[in-house]
Amino acid sequence: MQTVELTVRRTVGRSLVFQTKVLEVDANRDDPTIVVACPEGLDPLEHHFDASIAWTSALGRMEYAVTTRPERRGRGRVWLLTLTGPLTGVQKREYFRADVSIPVVVSWTDGPPAVSASTNGTEPQTHRLAGVVLDLSEGGVLASVSGVPPPVGTQVQSVLRIDDDEIVHAATVVRHVSLAGGTGVALAFADPSLHGDRLRQVAFEAERKRRRGD
């Protein structure tokens, strides 16, 4: 039930990008075939001669060129994807990214560790910046923030607001970016798998809407 990105290139019009799931793999055929659920919004009886399937693994983003054809199985209407080329586009530690607009709060502390008040210790200072995510992947974000961002290398907590949910990650500041009217801060999540499925779904949906002109 691996979640994958399916790109369909039609003769006329824009390419369409959908998120779907692998239902099974027929590896014993002369032409190995991947069985996927028909993406929502497409005709289950369509054939496609120029398509590709991509996913993210521990090695990075991987992609195969495929053709698609419809079939009915026990699960109902499915698409059979036949590989038409070798594995390509492997990029280590790279994730599917998309332009989005999602509220984010970045917080971090500095100063010496907390010490008992009886020793006249100093409490660390907590900082908090609100911003908007501009670029999202399961591995991290680029956000525009108001105020001075934490230095590169700082360990922070990021809280993304998606619908009514708060998606919390421990993260590291990896770079600062100059943006028109503000400052950008790029964060790399400590554990991309923590909310990976959810963020990948959000990125796929944002890219699908962009390509359809929504």
Side-chain angles (χ1 to χ4, degrees):
M1 297 297 288
Q2 167 80 40
T3 299
V4 295
E5 172 194 342
L6 180 63
T7 301
V8 174
R9 303 173 186 86
R10 288 170 162 164
T11 304
V12 178
R14 296 181 177 181
S15 297
L16 301 178
V17 180
F18 294 88
Q19 184 180 9
T20 187
K21 289 186 178 293
V22 174
L23 303 178
E24 57 185 283
V25 178
D26 291 343
N28 296 323
R29 302 165 58 106
D30 292 336
D31 51 346
T33 301
I34 301 170
V35 183
V36 300
C38 175
E40 182 179 352
L42 287 189
D43 183 345
L45 299 181
E46 286 185 358
H47 291 74
H48 301 281
F49 298 98
D50 185 5
S52 61
I53 183 174
W55 68 96
T56 300
S57 74
L59 296 177
R61 180 176 168 83
M62 300 185 176
E63 182 173 293
Y64 276 114
V66 299
T67 59
T68 81
R69 67 181 186 276
E71 186 170 284
R72 180 181 290 279
R73 295 200 170 184
R75 300 173 183 268
R77 290 289 183 182
V78 297
W79 281 7
L80 305 186
L81 310 185
T82 301
L83 307 185
T84 59
L87 182 66
T88 60
V90 178
Q91 297 178 320
K92 189 174 181 181
R93 291 188 295 182
E94 184 165 314
Y95 302 94
F96 181 81
R97 313 187 72 87
D99 296 338
V100 299
S101 181
I102 296 172
V104 62
V105 173
V106 180
S107 58
W108 72 100
T109 59
D110 60 15
V115 180
S116 171
S118 63
T119 61
N120 296 319
T122 303
E123 293 289 335
Q125 185 176 2
T126 299
H127 303 270
R128 186 175 181 272
L129 280 181
V132 177
V133 172
L134 306 176
D135 180 272
L136 171 73
S137 80
E138 64 196 271
V141 298
L142 171 64
S144 175
V145 296
S146 57
V148 179
V152 172
T154 301
Q155 307 299 304
V156 302
Q157 180 188 73
S158 71
V159 181
L160 306 177
R161 170 69 70 172
I162 300 177
D163 298 326
D164 293 327
D165 297 329
E166 290 189 344
I167 308 298
V168 182
H169 273 104
T172 302
V173 178
V174 293
R175 69 180 183 278
H176 296 160
V177 180
S178 296
L179 300 173
T183 301
V185 57
L187 307 178
F189 296 144
D191 182 4
S193 66
L194 183 60
H195 301 290
D197 289 345
R198 178 70 184 280
L199 296 186
R200 189 164 54 248
Q201 181 181 18
V202 172
F204 280 148
E205 181 63 21
E207 179 65 9
R208 183 173 72 170
K209 289 181 177 180
R210 185 189 70 82
R211 295 201 180 200
R212 294 175 65 176
D214 293 357

